[in-house]
Amino acid sequence: MAKAVATKAGFYGAKRVQPGETFEVQDGETGNWFEVEEEEAPKKKRGSSSDTAPSELV
């Protein structure tokens, strides 16, 4: 499920959604009265060796 924010009043399922309200939609769902929020990427662990090249460790 993805989160969406209503830009205009509308219906999703049997629920009336007002502008500014946040609600859940099925993945891949689109509409002209709401915008799907981007999910935040998981944060990298601190000190991970994958984000520092070996030449930078000197």
Side-chain angles (χ1 to χ4, degrees):
M1 299 286 277
K3 289 189 179 184
V5 178
T7 56
K8 300 177 192 174
F11 287 94
Y12 189 77
K15 184 179 177 189
R16 175 84 167 152
V17 184
Q18 298 296 324
E21 274 189 71
T22 301
F23 59 102
E24 289 191 349
V25 296
Q26 294 292 325
D27 291 335
E29 193 84 33
T30 60
N32 62 357
W33 61 275
F34 64 86
E35 294 179 1
V36 177
E37 295 181 336
E38 296 291 324
E39 291 190 29
E40 292 182 18
K43 293 182 181 180
K44 289 185 179 180
K45 291 182 182 177
R46 244 185 158 177
S48 175
S49 62
S50 63
D51 60 357
T52 307
S55 63
E56 294 177 306
L57 296 175
V58 176

